[in-house]
Amino acid sequence: MKAVQFSKYGGPAVLDIVDVEPPHPGPGEVRITVRAAGVNPSDWKRREGQYRTFEEVVFPAGLGVEGSGIVDEVGPGVRDVTIGDMVFGFGTNTMAEQAILTHWAKKPNSLSFEVAAALPVVSDTATRALDQVGVAQGQTLLVSGAAGGVGTAIVQLARLRGITVIGTASAAKHDYLRGLGVVPTTYGDGLEQRVGDLVPGGVNAAIDVVGSGVIPELVRIVGDPVHVLSVADFSAEQHGAKFSQGPPVDPAGLLATMAELCAAGSFTLQIDRTFPLDQVKEAQAVSQSGRVTGKLVVCVD
């Protein structure tokens, strides 16, 4: 089968599409014929070696941690799916023609393979961030970088919890945020004043999605670093804020919940662009640019 791999750290150019032997599922795992794989910032950060201090990468290494497709092999102990079922979930090396999923949920017929493939990481990151930042129903949350994939998930899940959301994004994306029930504002100089004008009573918590060095300003806006959290800035804790990390939040339950929310129309995820497998380098470059509304997806036919 064809799969994306890299044999050294570096930019998109280190990625190759190679022929490898198909993987086989172990206990509690399934293999899928991949239809789509989500593109995440963690992909290119891992590819660049940014995680090397706490995560071992064995070369040649694959790419992709989430995907959707059709079950074609079932590992020992799996009882909830059979060959031919359409599923999506967390996995390993999902940018390939076949991949192993470690946690999954059945894909509703109304949910496209592309959107399903893009759901797991943003849903998990958003849920964990909201749980850890300490914001409750009736309070106000500021999300810095609200229009990307994780931001899109955070603001919608926050709204479902009864939280008012202020979100930063470029002016061109403000209508997109308004459509998600978010009060938009621009990022950059003067954010503290703009947020103060929008919410005279102040905000109760803030989440940084993009890691753009905004943590000190978010701490000033919130007034308490305990309720400021980043999912991208490793230096957040140096300012008294939190850095969100941890294992998946009940991954099987989370995926089933997201499937239900999407099927009911209570959660949407915009797919900014899709790429065929042989354009994975371009997909990575676009992801790294940071100019993405929603998610990018690699499609595998």
Side-chain angles (χ1 to χ4, degrees):
M1 71 168 193
K2 295 188 181 302
V4 176
Q5 287 188 344
F6 60 105
S7 295
K8 61 181 179 180
Y9 293 124
V14 304
L15 298 176
D16 294 305
I17 297 176
V18 299
D19 290 315
V20 299
E21 290 297 318
H24 296 284
E29 299 177 338
V30 300
R31 188 180 72 184
I32 60 170
T33 297
V34 180
R35 294 290 300 274
V39 178
N40 294 286
S42 61
D43 297 330
W44 56 262
K45 291 179 180 180
R46 184 172 290 110
R47 185 203 72 221
E48 286 190 334
Q50 293 188 29
Y51 294 168
R52 72 178 78 186
T53 59
F54 57 85
E55 178 184 280
E56 181 182 7
V57 173
V58 178
F59 296 123
L63 200 67
V65 296
E66 61 181 353
S68 66
I70 299 170
V71 175
D72 64 16
E73 190 173 334
V74 176
V78 174
R79 300 285 183 265
D80 61 340
V81 293
T82 59
I83 292 174
D85 285 348
M86 299 180 294
V87 298
F88 69 102
F90 296 97
T92 55
N93 305 333
T94 56
M95 291 189 188
E97 291 180 326
Q98 292 173 294
I100 301 299
L101 294 187
T102 55
H103 300 90
W104 60 86
K106 290 187 178 181
K107 183 187 77 66
N109 290 331
S110 59
L111 188 63
S112 71
F113 280 107
E114 291 79 10
V115 172
L119 281 172
V121 169
V122 297
S123 303
D124 173 70
T125 304
T127 300
R128 184 171 58 247
L130 287 169
D131 290 346
Q132 292 176 346
V133 78
V135 61
Q137 180 178 357
Q139 294 186 323
T140 300
L141 171 70
L142 172 62
V143 179
S144 178
V150 173
T152 292
I154 288 173
V155 301
Q156 289 183 89
L157 294 178
R159 297 288 295 128
L160 288 171
R161 295 185 183 195
I163 297 165
T164 299
V165 180
I166 311 296
T168 73
S170 63
K173 299 178 181 179
H174 284 191
D175 284 344
Y176 170 72
L177 291 181
R178 290 188 185 97
L180 299 177
V182 177
V183 179
T185 188
T186 52
Y187 47 76
D189 293 342
L191 177 62
E192 189 172 356
Q193 180 62 53
R194 291 191 298 277
V195 172
D197 292 340
L198 289 170
V199 193
V203 301
N204 303 100
I207 297 175
D208 161 47
V209 176
V210 295
S212 58
V214 74
I215 295 297
E217 188 168 21
L218 296 183
V219 170
R220 292 196 300 271
I221 291 171
V222 174
D224 185 351
V226 170
H227 295 292
V228 176
L229 175 146
S230 178
V231 302
D233 188 342
F234 293 122
S235 72
E237 293 176 342
Q238 297 175 17
H239 304 283
K242 300 174 181 176
F243 179 75
S244 182
Q245 55 188 326
V249 182
D250 179 19
L254 174 66
L255 294 169
T257 296
M258 295 310 299
E260 293 174 0
L261 290 175
C262 289
S266 300
F267 185 97
T268 61
L269 182 58
Q270 178 169 312
I271 303 302
D272 189 307
R273 290 177 63 182
T274 62
F275 302 82
L277 189 64
D278 62 7
Q279 291 181 15
V280 65
K281 295 179 183 180
E282 182 179 353
Q284 291 274 294
V286 173
S287 175
Q288 199 160 352
S289 76
R291 301 183 182 93
V292 179
T293 303
K295 282 284 291 266
L296 304 174
V297 172
V298 169
C299 296
V300 184
D301 294 322

PDB file of all heavy atoms in Angstrom, residues 54-86:
ATOM      1  N   PHE A  54      10.248  15.001  24.218  1.00  0.00           N
ATOM      2  CA  PHE A  54       9.337  14.200  25.031  1.00  0.00           C
ATOM      3  C   PHE A  54       8.631  13.098  24.239  1.00  0.00           C
ATOM      4  O   PHE A  54       7.792  12.381  24.781  1.00  0.00           O
ATOM      5  CB  PHE A  54       8.274  15.089  25.699  1.00  0.00           C
ATOM      6  CG  PHE A  54       7.447  15.915  24.743  1.00  0.00           C
ATOM      7  CD1 PHE A  54       6.330  15.407  24.120  1.00  0.00           C
ATOM      8  CD2 PHE A  54       7.809  17.233  24.479  1.00  0.00           C
ATOM      9  CE1 PHE A  54       5.580  16.173  23.259  1.00  0.00           C
ATOM     10  CE2 PHE A  54       7.060  18.017  23.603  1.00  0.00           C
ATOM     11  CZ  PHE A  54       5.939  17.482  23.002  1.00  0.00           C
ATOM     12  N   GLU A  55       8.960  12.954  22.971  1.00  0.00           N
ATOM     13  CA  GLU A  55       8.324  11.916  22.171  1.00  0.00           C
ATOM     14  C   GLU A  55       9.353  11.281  21.238  1.00  0.00           C
ATOM     15  O   GLU A  55       9.991  11.979  20.454  1.00  0.00           O
ATOM     16  CB  GLU A  55       7.169  12.503  21.356  1.00  0.00           C
ATOM     17  CG  GLU A  55       6.473  11.506  20.458  1.00  0.00           C
ATOM     18  CD  GLU A  55       5.406  12.155  19.612  1.00  0.00           C
ATOM     19  OE1 GLU A  55       4.301  12.386  20.135  1.00  0.00           O
ATOM     20  OE2 GLU A  55       5.661  12.449  18.423  1.00  0.00           O
ATOM     21  N   GLU A  56       9.504   9.984  21.338  1.00  0.00           N
ATOM     22  CA  GLU A  56      10.460   9.296  20.479  1.00  0.00           C
ATOM     23  C   GLU A  56       9.850   9.059  19.103  1.00  0.00           C
ATOM     24  O   GLU A  56       8.722   8.585  18.973  1.00  0.00           O
ATOM     25  CB  GLU A  56      10.863   7.955  21.090  1.00  0.00           C
ATOM     26  CG  GLU A  56      11.876   7.189  20.258  1.00  0.00           C
ATOM     27  CD  GLU A  56      12.234   5.847  20.861  1.00  0.00           C
ATOM     28  OE1 GLU A  56      11.598   5.459  21.865  1.00  0.00           O
ATOM     29  OE2 GLU A  56      13.132   5.181  20.313  1.00  0.00           O
ATOM     30  N   VAL A  57      10.582   9.409  18.073  1.00  0.00           N
ATOM     31  CA  VAL A  57      10.179   9.134  16.701  1.00  0.00           C
ATOM     32  C   VAL A  57      11.172   8.158  16.102  1.00  0.00           C
ATOM     33  O   VAL A  57      12.381   8.395  16.106  1.00  0.00           O
ATOM     34  CB  VAL A  57      10.132  10.424  15.855  1.00  0.00           C
ATOM     35  CG1 VAL A  57       9.868  10.098  14.396  1.00  0.00           C
ATOM     36  CG2 VAL A  57       9.051  11.363  16.383  1.00  0.00           C
ATOM     37  N   VAL A  58      10.681   7.027  15.627  1.00  0.00           N
ATOM     38  CA  VAL A  58      11.522   6.008  15.008  1.00  0.00           C
ATOM     39  C   VAL A  58      11.390   6.143  13.494  1.00  0.00           C
ATOM     40  O   VAL A  58      10.285   6.047  12.945  1.00  0.00           O
ATOM     41  CB  VAL A  58      11.105   4.596  15.466  1.00  0.00           C
ATOM     42  CG1 VAL A  58      11.971   3.551  14.777  1.00  0.00           C
ATOM     43  CG2 VAL A  58      11.222   4.479  16.983  1.00  0.00           C
ATOM     44  N   PHE A  59      12.510   6.405  12.829  1.00  0.00           N
ATOM     45  CA  PHE A  59      12.488   6.569  11.380  1.00  0.00           C
ATOM     46  C   PHE A  59      12.622   5.216  10.677  1.00  0.00           C
ATOM     47  O   PHE A  59      13.315   4.323  11.170  1.00  0.00           O
ATOM     48  CB  PHE A  59      13.627   7.497  10.939  1.00  0.00           C
ATOM     49  CG  PHE A  59      13.512   8.905  11.454  1.00  0.00           C
ATOM     50  CD1 PHE A  59      14.526   9.472  12.204  1.00  0.00           C
ATOM     51  CD2 PHE A  59      12.386   9.671  11.189  1.00  0.00           C
ATOM     52  CE1 PHE A  59      14.440  10.765  12.682  1.00  0.00           C
ATOM     53  CE2 PHE A  59      12.275  10.970  11.660  1.00  0.00           C
ATOM     54  CZ  PHE A  59      13.313  11.515  12.410  1.00  0.00           C
ATOM     55  N   PRO A  60      11.968   5.049   9.519  1.00  0.00           N
ATOM     56  CA  PRO A  60      11.058   6.000   8.886  1.00  0.00           C
ATOM     57  C   PRO A  60       9.745   6.074   9.657  1.00  0.00           C
ATOM     58  O   PRO A  60       9.247   5.049  10.144  1.00  0.00           O
ATOM     59  CB  PRO A  60      10.859   5.426   7.484  1.00  0.00           C
ATOM     60  CG  PRO A  60      11.068   3.955   7.657  1.00  0.00           C
ATOM     61  CD  PRO A  60      12.129   3.820   8.703  1.00  0.00           C
ATOM     62  N   ALA A  61       9.199   7.281   9.759  1.00  0.00           N
ATOM     63  CA  ALA A  61       7.993   7.516  10.542  1.00  0.00           C
ATOM     64  C   ALA A  61       6.823   7.862   9.625  1.00  0.00           C
ATOM     65  O   ALA A  61       6.997   8.510   8.585  1.00  0.00           O
ATOM     66  CB  ALA A  61       8.230   8.654  11.531  1.00  0.00           C
ATOM     67  N   GLY A  62       5.649   7.437  10.021  1.00  0.00           N
ATOM     68  CA  GLY A  62       4.436   7.768   9.289  1.00  0.00           C
ATOM     69  C   GLY A  62       3.858   9.087   9.764  1.00  0.00           C
ATOM     70  O   GLY A  62       4.417   9.767  10.627  1.00  0.00           O
ATOM     71  N   LEU A  63       2.716   9.432   9.195  1.00  0.00           N
ATOM     72  CA  LEU A  63       2.097  10.723   9.488  1.00  0.00           C
ATOM     73  C   LEU A  63       0.589  10.549   9.608  1.00  0.00           C
ATOM     74  O   LEU A  63      -0.013   9.747   8.896  1.00  0.00           O
ATOM     75  CB  LEU A  63       2.414  11.713   8.354  1.00  0.00           C
ATOM     76  CG  LEU A  63       2.274  13.202   8.633  1.00  0.00           C
ATOM     77  CD1 LEU A  63       3.319  13.647   9.653  1.00  0.00           C
ATOM     78  CD2 LEU A  63       2.439  13.999   7.339  1.00  0.00           C
ATOM     79  N   GLY A  64      -0.019  11.307  10.518  1.00  0.00           N
ATOM     80  CA  GLY A  64      -1.468  11.305  10.660  1.00  0.00           C
ATOM     81  C   GLY A  64      -1.930  10.548  11.886  1.00  0.00           C
ATOM     82  O   GLY A  64      -1.483   9.424  12.146  1.00  0.00           O
ATOM     83  N   VAL A  65      -2.827  11.175  12.665  1.00  0.00           N
ATOM     84  CA  VAL A  65      -3.313  10.569  13.906  1.00  0.00           C
ATOM     85  C   VAL A  65      -4.833  10.455  13.950  1.00  0.00           C
ATOM     86  O   VAL A  65      -5.394  10.053  14.964  1.00  0.00           O
ATOM     87  CB  VAL A  65      -2.831  11.373  15.139  1.00  0.00           C
ATOM     88  CG1 VAL A  65      -1.321  11.330  15.248  1.00  0.00           C
ATOM     89  CG2 VAL A  65      -3.318  12.827  15.091  1.00  0.00           C
ATOM     90  N   GLU A  66      -5.508  10.783  12.862  1.00  0.00           N
ATOM     91  CA  GLU A  66      -6.961  10.677  12.825  1.00  0.00           C
ATOM     92  C   GLU A  66      -7.383  10.365  11.389  1.00  0.00           C
ATOM     93  O   GLU A  66      -6.691  10.727  10.431  1.00  0.00           O
ATOM     94  CB  GLU A  66      -7.627  11.966  13.308  1.00  0.00           C
ATOM     95  CG  GLU A  66      -7.289  13.184  12.449  1.00  0.00           C
ATOM     96  CD  GLU A  66      -7.919  14.476  12.939  1.00  0.00           C
ATOM     97  OE1 GLU A  66      -8.740  14.439  13.876  1.00  0.00           O
ATOM     98  OE2 GLU A  66      -7.592  15.540  12.362  1.00  0.00           O
ATOM     99  N   GLY A  67      -8.516   9.693  11.264  1.00  0.00           N
ATOM    100  CA  GLY A  67      -8.956   9.363   9.924  1.00  0.00           C
ATOM    101  C   GLY A  67     -10.342   8.751   9.915  1.00  0.00           C
ATOM    102  O   GLY A  67     -10.943   8.475  10.956  1.00  0.00           O
ATOM    103  N   SER A  68     -10.838   8.548   8.713  1.00  0.00           N
ATOM    104  CA  SER A  68     -12.128   7.899   8.516  1.00  0.00           C
ATOM    105  C   SER A  68     -12.009   6.916   7.366  1.00  0.00           C
ATOM    106  O   SER A  68     -11.135   7.048   6.502  1.00  0.00           O
ATOM    107  CB  SER A  68     -13.214   8.934   8.201  1.00  0.00           C
ATOM    108  OG  SER A  68     -12.955   9.568   6.944  1.00  0.00           O
ATOM    109  N   GLY A  69     -12.877   5.922   7.356  1.00  0.00           N
ATOM    110  CA  GLY A  69     -12.829   4.952   6.276  1.00  0.00           C
ATOM    111  C   GLY A  69     -13.739   3.778   6.545  1.00  0.00           C
ATOM    112  O   GLY A  69     -14.681   3.860   7.343  1.00  0.00           O
ATOM    113  N   ILE A  70     -13.429   2.681   5.899  1.00  0.00           N
ATOM    114  CA  ILE A  70     -14.266   1.489   5.970  1.00  0.00           C
ATOM    115  C   ILE A  70     -13.454   0.360   6.607  1.00  0.00           C
ATOM    116  O   ILE A  70     -12.337   0.059   6.180  1.00  0.00           O
ATOM    117  CB  ILE A  70     -14.744   1.087   4.567  1.00  0.00           C
ATOM    118  CG1 ILE A  70     -15.573   2.241   3.968  1.00  0.00           C
ATOM    119  CG2 ILE A  70     -15.572  -0.186   4.617  1.00  0.00           C
ATOM    120  CD1 ILE A  70     -15.904   2.067   2.512  1.00  0.00           C
ATOM    121  N   VAL A  71     -14.016  -0.247   7.631  1.00  0.00           N
ATOM    122  CA  VAL A  71     -13.324  -1.325   8.341  1.00  0.00           C
ATOM    123  C   VAL A  71     -13.072  -2.490   7.388  1.00  0.00           C
ATOM    124  O   VAL A  71     -13.994  -2.977   6.722  1.00  0.00           O
ATOM    125  CB  VAL A  71     -14.161  -1.807   9.544  1.00  0.00           C
ATOM    126  CG1 VAL A  71     -13.490  -3.008  10.215  1.00  0.00           C
ATOM    127  CG2 VAL A  71     -14.355  -0.678  10.551  1.00  0.00           C
ATOM    128  N   ASP A  72     -11.797  -2.912   7.294  1.00  0.00           N
ATOM    129  CA  ASP A  72     -11.478  -4.062   6.440  1.00  0.00           C
ATOM    130  C   ASP A  72     -10.773  -5.188   7.191  1.00  0.00           C
ATOM    131  O   ASP A  72     -10.536  -6.256   6.631  1.00  0.00           O
ATOM    132  CB  ASP A  72     -10.670  -3.638   5.211  1.00  0.00           C
ATOM    133  CG  ASP A  72      -9.297  -3.070   5.533  1.00  0.00           C
ATOM    134  OD1 ASP A  72      -8.809  -3.252   6.675  1.00  0.00           O
ATOM    135  OD2 ASP A  72      -8.706  -2.423   4.652  1.00  0.00           O
ATOM    136  N   GLU A  73     -10.446  -4.968   8.466  1.00  0.00           N
ATOM    137  CA  GLU A  73      -9.875  -6.036   9.296  1.00  0.00           C
ATOM    138  C   GLU A  73     -10.123  -5.678  10.755  1.00  0.00           C
ATOM    139  O   GLU A  73      -9.965  -4.519  11.150  1.00  0.00           O
ATOM    140  CB  GLU A  73      -8.379  -6.205   9.029  1.00  0.00           C
ATOM    141  CG  GLU A  73      -7.778  -7.441   9.681  1.00  0.00           C
ATOM    142  CD  GLU A  73      -6.331  -7.680   9.264  1.00  0.00           C
ATOM    143  OE1 GLU A  73      -5.937  -7.250   8.158  1.00  0.00           O
ATOM    144  OE2 GLU A  73      -5.592  -8.288  10.066  1.00  0.00           O
ATOM    145  N   VAL A  74     -10.504  -6.662  11.531  1.00  0.00           N
ATOM    146  CA  VAL A  74     -10.874  -6.447  12.932  1.00  0.00           C
ATOM    147  C   VAL A  74      -9.919  -7.224  13.834  1.00  0.00           C
ATOM    148  O   VAL A  74      -9.666  -8.410  13.616  1.00  0.00           O
ATOM    149  CB  VAL A  74     -12.329  -6.892  13.190  1.00  0.00           C
ATOM    150  CG1 VAL A  74     -12.673  -6.762  14.664  1.00  0.00           C
ATOM    151  CG2 VAL A  74     -13.295  -6.087  12.334  1.00  0.00           C
ATOM    152  N   GLY A  75      -9.374  -6.531  14.848  1.00  0.00           N
ATOM    153  CA  GLY A  75      -8.461  -7.170  15.766  1.00  0.00           C
ATOM    154  C   GLY A  75      -9.178  -7.995  16.826  1.00  0.00           C
ATOM    155  O   GLY A  75     -10.396  -7.880  17.013  1.00  0.00           O
ATOM    156  N   PRO A  76      -8.428  -8.829  17.548  1.00  0.00           N
ATOM    157  CA  PRO A  76      -9.015  -9.662  18.609  1.00  0.00           C
ATOM    158  C   PRO A  76      -9.736  -8.818  19.664  1.00  0.00           C
ATOM    159  O   PRO A  76      -9.253  -7.768  20.070  1.00  0.00           O
ATOM    160  CB  PRO A  76      -7.800 -10.367  19.220  1.00  0.00           C
ATOM    161  CG  PRO A  76      -6.764 -10.351  18.130  1.00  0.00           C
ATOM    162  CD  PRO A  76      -6.974  -9.074  17.391  1.00  0.00           C
ATOM    163  N   GLY A  77     -10.888  -9.290  20.076  1.00  0.00           N
ATOM    164  CA  GLY A  77     -11.624  -8.638  21.144  1.00  0.00           C
ATOM    165  C   GLY A  77     -12.559  -7.530  20.704  1.00  0.00           C
ATOM    166  O   GLY A  77     -13.311  -6.988  21.524  1.00  0.00           O
ATOM    167  N   VAL A  78     -12.557  -7.166  19.441  1.00  0.00           N
ATOM    168  CA  VAL A  78     -13.436  -6.099  18.953  1.00  0.00           C
ATOM    169  C   VAL A  78     -14.803  -6.691  18.650  1.00  0.00           C
ATOM    170  O   VAL A  78     -14.925  -7.654  17.878  1.00  0.00           O
ATOM    171  CB  VAL A  78     -12.848  -5.419  17.702  1.00  0.00           C
ATOM    172  CG1 VAL A  78     -13.847  -4.421  17.121  1.00  0.00           C
ATOM    173  CG2 VAL A  78     -11.540  -4.728  18.044  1.00  0.00           C
ATOM    174  N   ARG A  79     -15.843  -6.095  19.231  1.00  0.00           N
ATOM    175  CA  ARG A  79     -17.189  -6.629  19.066  1.00  0.00           C
ATOM    176  C   ARG A  79     -18.177  -5.603  18.496  1.00  0.00           C
ATOM    177  O   ARG A  79     -19.273  -5.987  18.073  1.00  0.00           O
ATOM    178  CB  ARG A  79     -17.729  -7.110  20.432  1.00  0.00           C
ATOM    179  CG  ARG A  79     -16.889  -8.198  21.085  1.00  0.00           C
ATOM    180  CD  ARG A  79     -17.100  -9.539  20.411  1.00  0.00           C
ATOM    181  NE  ARG A  79     -16.344 -10.599  21.102  1.00  0.00           N
ATOM    182  CZ  ARG A  79     -15.150 -11.008  20.759  1.00  0.00           C
ATOM    183  NH1 ARG A  79     -14.541 -10.432  19.712  1.00  0.00           N
ATOM    184  NH2 ARG A  79     -14.517 -11.968  21.418  1.00  0.00           N
ATOM    185  N   ASP A  80     -17.813  -4.324  18.515  1.00  0.00           N
ATOM    186  CA  ASP A  80     -18.811  -3.312  18.171  1.00  0.00           C
ATOM    187  C   ASP A  80     -18.838  -2.934  16.702  1.00  0.00           C
ATOM    188  O   ASP A  80     -19.700  -2.152  16.280  1.00  0.00           O
ATOM    189  CB  ASP A  80     -18.604  -2.052  19.027  1.00  0.00           C
ATOM    190  CG  ASP A  80     -17.242  -1.405  18.812  1.00  0.00           C
ATOM    191  OD1 ASP A  80     -16.336  -2.099  18.312  1.00  0.00           O
ATOM    192  OD2 ASP A  80     -17.090  -0.215  19.142  1.00  0.00           O
ATOM    193  N   VAL A  81     -17.907  -3.447  15.883  1.00  0.00           N
ATOM    194  CA  VAL A  81     -17.936  -3.171  14.450  1.00  0.00           C
ATOM    195  C   VAL A  81     -17.593  -4.448  13.693  1.00  0.00           C
ATOM    196  O   VAL A  81     -16.987  -5.382  14.241  1.00  0.00           O
ATOM    197  CB  VAL A  81     -16.936  -2.061  14.038  1.00  0.00           C
ATOM    198  CG1 VAL A  81     -17.348  -0.712  14.605  1.00  0.00           C
ATOM    199  CG2 VAL A  81     -15.515  -2.406  14.448  1.00  0.00           C
ATOM    200  N   THR A  82     -17.968  -4.454  12.432  1.00  0.00           N
ATOM    201  CA  THR A  82     -17.637  -5.577  11.567  1.00  0.00           C
ATOM    202  C   THR A  82     -17.073  -5.043  10.264  1.00  0.00           C
ATOM    203  O   THR A  82     -17.162  -3.843   9.961  1.00  0.00           O
ATOM    204  CB  THR A  82     -18.885  -6.434  11.268  1.00  0.00           C
ATOM    205  OG1 THR A  82     -19.879  -5.610  10.637  1.00  0.00           O
ATOM    206  CG2 THR A  82     -19.465  -7.019  12.546  1.00  0.00           C
ATOM    207  N   ILE A  83     -16.479  -5.919   9.489  1.00  0.00           N
ATOM    208  CA  ILE A  83     -15.916  -5.528   8.200  1.00  0.00           C
ATOM    209  C   ILE A  83     -17.015  -4.908   7.333  1.00  0.00           C
ATOM    210  O   ILE A  83     -18.123  -5.437   7.226  1.00  0.00           O
ATOM    211  CB  ILE A  83     -15.286  -6.747   7.511  1.00  0.00           C
ATOM    212  CG1 ILE A  83     -14.044  -7.193   8.294  1.00  0.00           C
ATOM    213  CG2 ILE A  83     -14.904  -6.429   6.066  1.00  0.00           C
ATOM    214  CD1 ILE A  83     -13.425  -8.478   7.801  1.00  0.00           C
ATOM    215  N   GLY A  84     -16.688  -3.760   6.750  1.00  0.00           N
ATOM    216  CA  GLY A  84     -17.642  -3.040   5.920  1.00  0.00           C
ATOM    217  C   GLY A  84     -18.269  -1.838   6.603  1.00  0.00           C
ATOM    218  O   GLY A  84     -18.883  -0.990   5.931  1.00  0.00           O
ATOM    219  N   ASP A  85     -18.131  -1.734   7.943  1.00  0.00           N
ATOM    220  CA  ASP A  85     -18.691  -0.584   8.663  1.00  0.00           C
ATOM    221  C   ASP A  85     -17.894   0.688   8.350  1.00  0.00           C
ATOM    222  O   ASP A  85     -16.668   0.658   8.205  1.00  0.00           O
ATOM    223  CB  ASP A  85     -18.667  -0.818  10.172  1.00  0.00           C
ATOM    224  CG  ASP A  85     -19.741  -1.781  10.633  1.00  0.00           C
ATOM    225  OD1 ASP A  85     -20.646  -2.091   9.832  1.00  0.00           O
ATOM    226  OD2 ASP A  85     -19.670  -2.234  11.794  1.00  0.00           O
ATOM    227  N   MET A  86     -18.602   1.800   8.282  1.00  0.00           N
ATOM    228  CA  MET A  86     -17.974   3.105   8.096  1.00  0.00           C
ATOM    229  C   MET A  86     -17.695   3.716   9.472  1.00  0.00           C
ATOM    230  O   MET A  86     -18.607   3.836  10.296  1.00  0.00           O
ATOM    231  CB  MET A  86     -18.873   4.037   7.293  1.00  0.00           C
ATOM    232  CG  MET A  86     -19.186   3.554   5.891  1.00  0.00           C
ATOM    233  SD  MET A  86     -20.250   4.690   4.954  1.00  0.00           S
ATOM    234  CE  MET A  86     -21.782   4.571   5.927  1.00  0.00           C
TER     235      MET A  86
END
